[in-house]
Amino acid sequence: MKTITLYTKPIPVNQRTMIVRGHQTSSKKWKYTKYALAIETRSQVNFSPLTGTLAINLLFYFGDNRKRDIDAYIKIVLDSMEGIVYENDSQVAELHCFKIIDKENPRTVIEII
């Protein structure tokens, strides 16, 4: 099992796109956050992208107990690891997500099996 801990705060998928002059495009906030997550991931990964099917545990430690749908945070985390941890997020065959409150140390912990 490989473990990665990210301190960049993920954003929900509903902030992924915006409309500019009638065209849908990725928001700057989404692009920046995905890039920041990828850089933080790359700094902790010392292996080539994994192949084959994978199981992942995502532990979202939020700094407060506001109402959140954790499924909205999955996409940006999985997408940011493409080409670093695994070749493509379609390799993820099993996914477990947990929402935990930790006011002192908000983070995202990824366990790859």
Side-chain angles (χ1 to χ4, degrees), residues 36-50:
L37 288 166
I39 294 216
E40 196 172 1
T41 299
R42 190 176 307 276
S43 72
Q44 297 179 49
V45 172
N46 58 356
F47 53 87
S48 298
L50 301 170

Side-chain angles (χ1 to χ4, degrees), residues 9-18 24-27 29-31 33-34 37 60 62 68-79 89:
K9 182 181 171 186
I11 60 173
V13 73
N14 64 352
Q15 295 180 22
R16 181 178 182 190
T17 59
M18 61 183 199
Q24 188 170 344
T25 185
S26 291
S27 71
K29 186 174 183 179
W30 179 271
K31 289 178 187 177
T33 303
K34 184 177 167 185
L37 288 166
F60 293 102
F62 292 108
R68 291 183 176 92
D69 294 334
I70 60 170
D71 61 323
Y73 294 86
I74 296 169
K75 178 110 179 104
I76 196 163
V77 173
L78 293 181
D79 283 355
D89 62 359

Side-chain angles (χ1 to χ4, degrees), residues 1 8-10 20 25 30 35 43 47 55-56 65 70 93 97 109:
M1 179 168 63
T8 300
K9 182 181 171 186
V20 177
T25 185
W30 179 271
Y35 179 73
S43 72
F47 53 87
I56 293 182
N65 58 358
I70 60 170
C97 296
V109 176

Side-chain angles (χ1 to χ4, degrees), residues 59-99:
L59 295 89
F60 293 102
Y61 291 85
F62 292 108
D64 57 44
N65 58 358
R66 283 183 289 162
K67 184 178 173 182
R68 291 183 176 92
D69 294 334
I70 60 170
D71 61 323
Y73 294 86
I74 296 169
K75 178 110 179 104
I76 196 163
V77 173
L78 293 181
D79 283 355
S80 70
M81 294 190 301
E82 281 189 356
I84 303 168
V85 174
Y86 42 73
E87 293 172 351
N88 190 285
D89 62 359
S90 65
Q91 293 171 243
V92 178
E94 186 176 338
L95 179 65
H96 300 268
C97 296
F98 303 89
K99 178 170 63 172

